[in-house]
Amino acid sequence: MSLLDYFRKSKPKSAAIAKERLQILVAHERTLRNRRPSYLPQLQKELLDVIRKYVNVDQDAISVNFEQDENQETLELNIVLPDYQQENKSVNM
Amino acid sequence: MSLLDYFRKSKPKSAAIAKERLQILVAHERTLRNRRPSYLPQLQKELLDVIRKYVNVDQDAISVNFEQDENQETLELNIVLPDYQQENKSVNM
């Protein structure tokens, strides 16, 4: 199963979703000889800075999961985006 | 199954992997009333610029997959990282 298949399977059954969501996943497969510390925690901040250029992201709306084992690190960011209508209103104020 | 479970399942069986890899996935669940064009193709370039601050990324080593349907867009970047030993050598030249 490819990663895109995973997203196809896990997406909501109904097209009428209530909240927009953005999910960012970074997975780093490392060789054992790479002893350098992980850069994913630092990367996380920069990724969010890039995302904020495109959408309003509330700090409260972000959940982060970082996992690390012998040969793989994964960083997962789940962001609930502000309601499109609300966003428009605040822009027009 | 969570997304991190997916990565746990799909990671190499042996810890002695030959090449380091970085996989970045961005999934945007959209509401139907959001008619704005996708920003994921633009985001892709900026994500790669951020990644390049941390690791050498060859243009040839990047494969990109962008998919879009009624209520979800996914951007998948797969990057084969340069060999750690080789990378060290070029830094020391």
Side-chain angles (χ1 to χ4, degrees):
Chain A
M1 186 174 88
S2 84
L3 191 53
L4 287 172
D5 289 334
Y6 171 87
F7 275 95
R8 264 183 228 110
K9 269 180 68 177
S10 65
K11 75 180 181 181
K13 295 284 181 295
S14 158
I17 60 169
K19 279 282 180 191
E20 303 226 342
R21 282 166 207 278
L22 198 60
Q23 189 169 38
I24 300 158
L25 197 113
V26 184
H28 183 189
E29 274 177 32
R30 306 178 71 174
T31 57
L32 288 179
R33 63 179 181 275
N34 180 353
R35 300 289 179 194
R36 288 175 293 186
S38 172
Y39 49 79
L40 296 195
Q42 284 71 47
L43 192 62
Q44 173 190 324
K45 192 195 159 297
E46 297 201 48
L47 292 179
L48 285 170
D49 287 344
V50 169
I51 299 293
R52 283 200 178 90
K53 293 185 193 174
Y54 296 92
V55 276
N56 289 331
V57 176
D58 251 12
Q59 199 59 40
D60 296 351
I62 304 170
S63 70
V64 177
N65 195 341
F66 177 62
E67 295 198 6
Q68 192 165 28
D69 71 13
E70 199 179 34
N71 65 333
Q72 179 154 291
E73 293 154 7
T74 49
L75 170 70
E76 186 182 0
L77 303 173
N78 285 290
I79 304 164
V80 179
L81 298 174
D83 188 76
Y84 180 46
Q85 303 290 343
Q86 280 178 10
E87 200 181 325
N88 267 2
K89 274 180 205 162
S90 61
V91 166
N92 295 335
M93 270 195 320
Chain B
M1 187 175 86
S2 85
L3 191 52
L4 286 173
D5 289 334
Y6 171 85
F7 275 95
R8 264 183 228 109
K9 269 178 66 176
S10 66
K11 75 180 180 182
K13 295 283 181 294
S14 159
I17 59 168
K19 281 283 182 193
E20 302 225 342
R21 282 164 208 279
L22 198 61
Q23 188 168 38
I24 300 158
L25 198 114
V26 185
H28 184 190
E29 272 177 36
R30 306 178 71 174
T31 57
L32 288 178
R33 64 178 181 275
N34 180 353
R35 300 288 181 198
R36 288 174 294 187
S38 173
Y39 49 79
L40 296 195
Q42 285 71 46
L43 193 62
Q44 173 189 324
K45 193 195 159 298
E46 298 201 48
L47 291 179
L48 285 170
D49 287 344
V50 169
I51 299 294
R52 283 201 178 88
K53 293 185 192 174
Y54 295 92
V55 277
N56 290 328
V57 175
D58 251 13
Q59 199 58 41
D60 296 351
I62 305 169
S63 70
V64 177
N65 195 342
F66 177 62
E67 296 197 7
Q68 193 165 26
D69 70 15
E70 199 179 35
N71 65 333
Q72 179 154 291
E73 294 154 5
T74 49
L75 170 69
E76 186 182 1
L77 302 174
N78 284 291
I79 303 165
V80 179
L81 298 174
D83 188 74
Y84 179 45
Q85 302 290 343
Q86 282 178 8
E87 202 182 320
N88 268 1
K89 273 181 207 161
S90 63
V91 167
N92 295 335
M93 273 196 319

